[in-house]
Amino acid sequence: MLRIGLTGGIGAGKSTVARELAALGAVIVDGDKIAREVVEPGTPGLAALVEAFGDGILAEDGSLNRPALAAIAFSDDESRARLNAITHPLVGARSQELIVAAGPDAVIVQDIPLLVENQAAPMFHLVIIVWVDAEERVRRLVESRGMAEEDARARIAAQATDEQRRAVADVWLENTGTEEETREAVRALWSERIAPYAANVNSRRAAEDAPAVQDRAYGERLVGRLWVTLGAEATRVTAVGDTGAAAEVVLADGVATGDVAGRLGEAGFARVGDTDEFRGSDPGRAVTVRVAAQGPAGA
């Protein structure tokens, strides 16, 4: 299974990218759609929101009045945190149900508006950022969604900055041209990177002739990905060199390289023979991970 995190600022055009990925065969797990589902009338999620923010967030028919909730929840950090504490666990649980149902060989694209803010990037093989500058997003929100300009700017200001998004981006997809140009870019990304990456992961195979990418910021992302993958079975994970393309892992006492090879393979790092070296399955980036086992377990 290949898991892709898709995100970008409100109004950036993630839905266009998601639709094209779905047409190409990806299974889309839409965070916004699920967020609406878990607070439908009669759900525990809606009851919790009413308890936290009052009956004023309800429409006359008993459904959630989203603009009313947004006006309260995005007014300050404390209110936004209270909203997130209610909705995020519900969305996470439903998302996991859909991922399991998709099957082990699927390409899963999780459309998560707050992926960066929630520091969820290490959970994914790839993170795709859809980008449009803030002024264009304001224009789109006002003209296409009927949002008041003040509300649009408040929503944008409450989200991650472009710099924060760049720090986690494996793919920076500029959605500044026509819709067809964006779709063409997605198709190229699928054929050149996503589909072969998925095939490599499913076969536990390293990518051949992956390019060396000079990206010092990737080192931190690589370390985060390895910690998420290995958890307590690693005692140290460090980036090596200044290109961001290599890391070293020291395993806990008694844990052998063979014990973690399967999980590393699932995470996109294929073992080279019976050695302690693993290489990335991503055809878009050459990566090397060296694992040092300690204790008596052996390989």
Side-chain angles (χ1 to χ4, degrees):
M1 177 181 289
L2 191 75
R3 293 183 62 176
I4 297 173
L6 175 65
T7 193
I10 183 172
K14 297 187 302 298
S15 59
T16 298
V17 175
R19 282 195 300 270
E20 190 61 27
L21 288 169
L24 292 165
V27 175
I28 308 299
V29 179
D30 187 332
D32 275 342
K33 182 178 179 180
I34 295 171
R36 291 191 293 271
E37 176 185 320
V38 299
V39 293
E40 289 178 347
T43 61
L46 182 58
L49 289 179
V50 171
E51 181 178 355
F53 298 104
D55 292 338
I57 65 170
L58 295 177
E60 292 184 1
D61 63 359
S63 64
L64 180 63
N65 183 331
R66 293 184 175 278
L69 174 62
I72 299 172
F74 291 97
S75 62
D76 57 73
D77 290 342
E78 181 180 348
S79 297
R80 185 164 58 251
R82 193 163 59 223
L83 170 66
N84 292 341
I86 293 170
T87 58
H88 287 178
L90 298 172
V91 172
R94 178 57 179 153
S95 297
Q96 190 58 33
E97 290 178 2
L98 296 174
I99 291 168
V100 171
D105 295 334
V107 175
I108 303 292
V109 176
Q110 289 183 248
D111 183 342
I112 305 178
L114 299 180
L115 182 151
V116 179
E117 293 83 344
N118 293 336
Q119 300 180 329
M123 296 171 55
F124 300 97
H125 294 86
L126 282 177
V127 172
I128 300 173
I129 302 291
V130 183
W131 179 86
V132 176
D133 71 74
E135 289 305 314
E136 174 62 16
R137 286 190 281 139
V138 170
R139 185 191 68 78
R140 292 180 181 182
L141 292 171
V142 171
E143 295 182 2
S144 300
R145 301 193 192 182
M147 190 178 294
E149 180 176 340
E150 182 178 352
D151 290 342
R153 293 188 183 279
R155 293 289 294 272
I156 289 172
Q159 293 185 336
T161 64
D162 287 347
E163 290 74 18
Q164 289 170 324
R165 293 190 179 101
R166 282 193 181 277
V168 305
D170 296 302
V171 178
W172 187 264
L173 188 60
E174 295 193 4
N175 186 22
T176 54
T178 66
E179 181 174 331
E180 180 56 30
E181 287 172 336
T182 299
R183 292 174 62 195
E184 287 180 4
V186 174
R187 289 193 290 268
L189 176 63
W190 180 273
S191 63
E192 296 169 9
R193 191 168 186 181
I194 294 174
Y197 194 176
N200 287 342
V201 169
N202 292 338
S203 300
R204 304 297 185 264
R205 181 175 60 220
E208 295 183 4
D209 302 320
V213 179
Q214 300 292 319
D215 180 5
R216 299 180 69 174
Y218 180 73
E220 183 175 347
R221 304 206 297 277
L222 176 59
V223 168
R225 177 72 174 154
L226 291 168
W227 275 121
V228 167
T229 301
L230 298 174
E233 292 195 306
T235 60
R236 188 170 76 246
V237 181
T238 54
V240 179
D242 60 1
T243 66
E248 291 183 349
V249 175
V250 177
L251 298 176
D253 285 345
V255 179
T257 301
D259 296 334
V260 299
R263 285 199 303 285
L264 285 169
E266 292 173 1
F269 309 102
R271 192 176 188 181
V272 180
D274 292 327
T275 71
D276 292 331
E277 181 176 305
F278 293 75
R279 294 179 185 166
S281 299
D282 179 4
R285 182 191 300 273
V287 177
T288 300
V289 176
R290 297 187 185 278
V291 176
Q294 55 182 327

